[in-house]
């Protein structure tokens, strides 16, 4: 079970409200700082998600926790005719909408405000659902995954890109040092919301990964689970079928 880490420990608001406020606050700086924090490797990871779905030729894709829309825009390469980028943060979506307009993709990519734990779509609406660095922000993980399962068509594909924790030496020790000291320090220097990057680091370190996360997907009802560790295990791509 995922530990319920929250961004603002002195707030009495729920995790969902806090996460929304946090991403609204850092939306303008998120892309640039994210490239710095991940050394740009996150771009390669998203490309791998796209390549996985290309082979499955989905006609409709829901990208949950789309943020500033990078993955939703990249997913155009799959040939899908309808891509919905959904996020709870209006600030992040505003940045994403600008990108969609600049690339003249409005006919394919739609950016909408929505709650991952209460999706506004009918059951069986999408051929594929993607989530990049978003499931650990769900307030109720099981509920969010159940909603994903519901809106997928039978035989539809779920692809999740999420942080994980390396298990092999010396990468395990290096990751601990980086996540505990370096990442929060970068956020402290460059971000106006210091708590945000402390939260991103802490939530990544305690989130279930590998077989543990696959077991959660299996409990929801998914089949054919596959886990592909990325870059020494600092991230993982999970693939599952409804």
């Amino acid at each position: 079970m995922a530990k319920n880490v929250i961004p603002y420990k002195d707030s009495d608001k729920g995790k969902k409200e806090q996460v929304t406020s946090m991403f609204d606050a850092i939306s303008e700086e998120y892309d640039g700082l994210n490239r710095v924090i991940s050394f740009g490797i996150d771009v390669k990871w998203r490309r791998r998600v796209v390549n996985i779905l290309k082979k499955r030729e989905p006609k409709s894709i829901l990208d949950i926790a789309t943020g500033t829309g990078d993955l939703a825009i990249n997913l155009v390469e799959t040939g899908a005719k309808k891509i919905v980028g959904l996020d709870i943060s209006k600030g992040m979506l505003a940045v994403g909408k600008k990108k969609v307009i600049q690339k003249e993709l409005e006919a394919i990519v739609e950016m909408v405000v929505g709650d991952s734990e209460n999706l506004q779509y009918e059951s069986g609406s999408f051929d594929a659902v993607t989530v990049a660095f978003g499931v650990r922000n769900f307030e109720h993980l099981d509920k969010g995954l159940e909603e994903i399962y519901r809106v997928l068509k039978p035989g539809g594909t779920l692809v999740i890109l999420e942080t994980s924790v390396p298990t092999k030496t010396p990468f395990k020790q290096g990751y601990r040092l980086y996540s505990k000291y370096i990442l929060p320090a970068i956020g402290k220097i460059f971000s106006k919301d210091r708590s945000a990057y402390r939260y991103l680091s802490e939530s990544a370190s305690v989130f279930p990964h590998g077989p543990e996360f696959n077991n959660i997907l299996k409990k929801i009802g998914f089949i054919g689970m596959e886990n592909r560790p990325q870059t020494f295990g600092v991230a993982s791509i999970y693939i599952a079928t409804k």
Side-chain angles (χ1 to χ4, degrees), residues 3 10 14 19 25 41 44 50 58 62 71 81 101 106 109 162 165 167-168 177-178 193 200 202 218 241:
K3 181 181 177 182
D10 57 348
V19 167
I41 303 174
K44 182 185 294 185
V50 172
L62 174 62
L71 181 55
K81 302 302 181 185
I101 292 170
E106 300 99 310
V109 181
E162 189 53 86
V165 179
T167 56
K168 295 181 180 179
L177 288 172
Y178 178 76
D193 190 336
L200 291 173
E202 185 180 353
K218 183 178 180 179
T241 304

Side-chain angles (χ1 to χ4, degrees), residues 77-169:
E77 296 177 22
T78 65
K81 302 302 181 185
K82 174 188 177 184
I83 299 169
V84 177
L86 179 143
D87 203 282
I88 202 168
S89 166
K90 293 180 180 179
M92 296 287 274
L93 284 172
V95 176
K97 286 178 181 177
K98 291 178 184 177
K99 295 179 185 179
V100 172
I101 292 170
Q102 288 171 355
K103 295 180 181 294
E104 299 181 349
L105 294 173
E106 300 99 310
I108 302 173
V109 181
E110 179 186 10
M111 305 291 279
V112 301
V113 178
D115 182 355
S116 59
E117 296 174 25
N118 187 25
L119 296 172
Q120 61 261 49
Y121 301 102
E122 294 182 2
S123 299
S125 294
F126 296 92
D127 296 308
V129 175
T130 57
V131 192
F133 306 115
V135 288
R136 75 178 189 271
N137 297 321
F138 290 1
E139 186 166 25
H140 304 100
L141 179 59
D142 283 11
K143 187 176 180 182
L145 293 174
E146 286 168 358
E147 275 291 87
I148 289 172
Y149 187 87
R150 182 183 66 79
V151 301
L152 268 174
K153 294 179 181 179
T157 303
L158 167 64
V159 185
I160 291 174
L161 169 61
E162 189 53 86
T163 54
S164 54
V165 179
T167 56
K168 295 181 180 179
T169 302

